[in-house]
């Protein structure tokens, strides 16, 4: 079966450009997470969806970051007016339910480089 | 802020050696997970430990959750080049009601033939 997929795998943006990163979770998975992984660091939580509802966006670094999951499946992370400090790998993960100890399955990530 | 500190940051060893990686926090977690991440890929779950003092073995890997549920260790016996990678610990806070994870910065392991 297909795992979590993300596109594009690599994105280069000029400072000030808007970008959109896509995540296709495993079919039927209720929970979807976005993480940001800076070079040499572990992933940091950005936001969480349960179906189409965004239940936690406490990790979004600024109001330039926006995420949506309108139909409870595919999710898009949008970054407006990109800055150099936004350069990182953006990981998406999904899990079957929202219950405790549910395994999160990670996608390969999108590496964003802002010049 | 709940933080997980991993040590060492980097580890370079010869094939056949044993090693231990540590994950420490001042906070208590309801569970702790260990992941391995290869370049260009997302983290892959190795194990979840839930109970204080719990020990789990996965072939040559032994995972332990501290009695106070604030720390964990990963021990690899007779390391092989295939063990090379980034090892991440991740804790699940008690609050939240869902599986939000707090990650450590990782230990980058290189095993040389």
């Amino acid at each position: 079966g297909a795992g979590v997929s993300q596109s594009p795998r690599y994105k280069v943006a000029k400072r000030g450009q808007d970008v959109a990163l896509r995540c296709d979770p495993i079919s039927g998975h209720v929970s979807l997470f976005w993480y940001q992984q800076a070079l040499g660091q572990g992933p940091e939580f950005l936001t969480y969806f349960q179906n189409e509802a965004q239940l936690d966006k406490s990790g979004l670094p600024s109001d330039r970051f926006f995420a949506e999951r309108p139909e409870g499946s595919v999710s898009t992370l949008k970054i407006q007016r990109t800055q150099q400090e936004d350069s990182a790998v953006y990981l998406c993960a999904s899990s079957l339910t929202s219950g405790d100890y549910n395994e999160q399955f990670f996608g390969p990530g999108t590496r964003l480089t802002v010049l | 802020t709940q933080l997980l500190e991993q040590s060492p940051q980097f580890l370079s060893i010869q094939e056949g050696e044993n090693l231990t990686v540590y994950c420490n926090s001042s906070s208590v977690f309801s569970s702790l997970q260990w992941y391995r991440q290869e370049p260009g890929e997302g983290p892959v779950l190795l194990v979840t430990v839930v109970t204080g003092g719990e020990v789990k073995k996965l072939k040559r890997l032994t995972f332990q959750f501290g009695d106070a549920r604030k720390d964990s260790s990963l021990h690899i016996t007779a390391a092989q080049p295939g063990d090379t990678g980034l090892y991440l610990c991740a804790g699940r806070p008690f609050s939240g009601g869902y599986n939000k994870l707090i990650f450590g910065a990782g230990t980058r392991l290189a095993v040389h033939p």
Side-chain angles (χ1 to χ4, degrees):
Chain A
V4 178
S5 61
Q6 294 186 244
S7 61
R9 291 294 314 275
Y10 303 92
K11 177 69 178 177
V12 178
K14 292 183 179 179
R15 191 163 60 93
Q17 283 185 333
D18 298 348
V19 298
L21 312 180
R22 177 187 169 109
C23 172
D24 284 79
I26 294 172
S27 178
H29 277 198
V30 167
S31 296
L32 187 145
F33 302 81
W34 283 97
Y35 293 87
Q36 180 191 59
Q37 187 172 22
L39 189 64
Q41 299 297 316
E44 286 196 17
F45 171 82
L46 292 177
T47 188
Y48 165 69
F49 288 87
Q50 184 175 315
N51 295 308
E52 69 278 3
Q54 188 175 20
L55 298 186
D56 188 342
K57 52 182 181 180
S58 62
L60 296 177
S62 77
D63 58 7
R64 296 186 296 104
F65 286 70
F66 172 76
E68 60 183 4
R69 193 186 185 198
E71 298 178 357
S73 55
V74 171
S75 177
T76 304
L77 177 66
K78 298 179 179 178
I79 309 173
Q80 297 177 324
R81 305 181 302 281
T82 52
Q83 304 293 316
Q84 285 190 323
E85 61 263 28
D86 299 335
S87 295
V89 174
Y90 290 85
L91 294 165
C92 174
S94 70
S95 64
L96 183 59
T97 73
S98 59
D100 292 356
Y101 318 126
N102 257 252
E103 180 177 356
Q104 292 186 26
F105 295 86
F106 283 82
T110 294
R111 181 176 294 277
L112 172 65
T113 302
V114 182
L115 303 177
Chain B
T1 303
Q2 294 174 293
L3 295 174
L4 279 167
E5 294 186 359
Q6 287 189 241
S7 60
Q9 275 189 288
F10 302 96
L11 197 52
S12 180
I13 62 172
Q14 294 298 123
E15 182 176 2
E17 291 184 19
N18 300 333
L19 66 114
T20 302
V21 173
Y22 299 93
C23 176
N24 296 296
S25 177
S26 58
S27 301
V28 179
F29 292 95
S30 69
S31 66
L32 201 135
Q33 298 179 325
W34 284 91
Y35 290 80
R36 181 175 151 189
Q37 186 175 22
E38 303 284 354
E41 298 180 9
V44 175
L45 181 65
L46 296 174
V47 78
T48 300
V49 285
V50 177
T51 306
E54 182 176 4
V55 177
K56 280 193 174 179
K57 292 191 175 184
L58 188 66
K59 296 183 179 178
R60 293 175 295 101
L61 278 60
T62 302
F63 305 86
Q64 184 164 9
F65 201 12
D67 291 341
R69 302 166 77 147
K70 294 182 179 180
D71 54 84
S72 181
S73 64
L74 158 60
H75 182 79
I76 301 179
T77 303
Q80 300 176 358
D83 295 328
T84 293
L86 178 66
Y87 289 83
L88 295 159
C89 65
R92 181 181 178 277
F94 277 100
S95 62
Y98 56 89
N99 200 13
K100 174 179 178 176
L101 296 174
I102 308 296
F103 280 86
T107 293
R108 192 166 299 278
L109 172 65
V111 182
H112 304 283

